[in-house]
Amino acid sequence: SQQGEEDPQALSIQEGENATMNCSYKTSINNLQWYRQNSGRGLVHLILIRSNEREKHSGRLRVTLDTSKKSSSLLITASRAADTASYFCATKAAGNKLTFGGGTRVLVKP
Amino acid sequence: GAGVSQSPRYKVAKRGQDVALRCDPISGHVSLFWYQQALGQGPEFLTYFQNEAQLDKSGLPSDRFFAERPEGSVSTLKIQRTQQEDSAVYLCASSSQLADSYNEQFFGPGTRLTVL
């Protein structure tokens, strides 16, 4: 079963706008990761935030983590048409596997 | 190749047929994972190998699913007597270190299985 939920399920924005999506999870984690999946392609790792971190940046991406609320957010600034994809959060607890959310489908209109 | 490769990319099977899906991880990667992704959903964990040892198969949905990695590199996911509910994309991922560390999993393009 999926670890948690992502919100919103779908998001449509204009190029240049920011896109924000949220992820909630249920159990204690070691880290939380965000992945992007384009149509017909595999998952691409975007960014990892550890459980003792609160915020992390990578290029146009900003991730926050609130372990007290068991939630994370991903912000994509100055979006581009190429950012159109599905975005998934994935949590890693003790052990080996990743547990993914249901994803947010983002459409960036040129 | 530089990445994880999977074959075939697409597979159509009649209900009841057996299928075998192959994963070639990145050379030297210790850990290998299989995930199942239903349409419109996130991937769900199936099984995990550390070298040739299958350390976690808790996600395999039934005894019709079997995975192996006999020499610690290439892995095969076999589904016996396929059912329509097995239709999904099967993703393989590998990572360079033991999975308990903060390491990235690299995913292949997946095999889209359609069971008629």
Side-chain angles (χ1 to χ4, degrees), chain B residues 3-48:
Chain B
V4 178
S5 61
Q6 293 185 245
S7 62
R9 291 292 311 276
Y10 302 91
K11 177 68 179 178
V12 178
K14 292 182 179 179
R15 190 163 61 94
Q17 282 185 333
D18 298 348
V19 298
L21 312 180
R22 177 187 169 107
C23 173
D24 286 80
I26 294 172
S27 179
H29 275 196
V30 169
S31 299
L32 185 145
F33 304 81
W34 283 98
Y35 294 85
Q36 179 191 58
Q37 185 175 21
L39 186 64
Q41 302 294 317
E44 293 203 10
F45 171 81
L46 292 177
T47 187
Y48 159 62

Side-chain angles (χ1 to χ4, degrees), chain B residues 6-22 77-79 82-84 86-90 110-116:
Chain B
Q6 293 185 245
S7 62
R9 291 292 311 276
Y10 302 91
K11 177 68 179 178
V12 178
K14 292 182 179 179
R15 190 163 61 94
Q17 282 185 333
D18 298 348
V19 298
L21 312 180
R22 177 187 169 107
L77 176 67
K78 298 179 179 178
I79 309 173
T82 52
Q83 304 295 315
Q84 285 189 322
D86 300 334
S87 295
V89 175
Y90 291 86
T111 294
R112 181 178 296 277
L113 173 65
T114 303
V115 181
L116 304 177

Side-chain angles (χ1 to χ4, degrees), chain A residues 1-2 30-31 33 35 37 40-43 45 48 50-51 88 92-98 100-103 105, chain B residues 9-10 33 35 37 40-45 48 55-56 58 91 99-110:
Chain A
S1 60
Q2 313 255 248
N30 285 346
N31 66 60
Q33 304 175 35
Y35 285 80
Q37 187 176 42
R41 299 182 64 181
L43 286 158
H45 182 268
L48 179 152
R50 301 181 184 190
S51 59
F88 295 91
K92 186 178 182 301
N96 42 60
K97 64 184 181 183
L98 290 176
F100 286 83
R105 288 173 291 285
Chain B
R9 291 292 311 276
Y10 302 91
F33 304 81
Y35 294 85
Q37 185 175 21
Q41 302 294 317
E44 293 203 10
F45 171 81
Y48 159 62
L55 298 187
D56 187 347
S58 62
L91 297 168
D100 239 3
S101 58
Y102 292 122
N103 59 297
E104 176 183 346
Q105 293 185 24
F106 295 85
F107 281 80

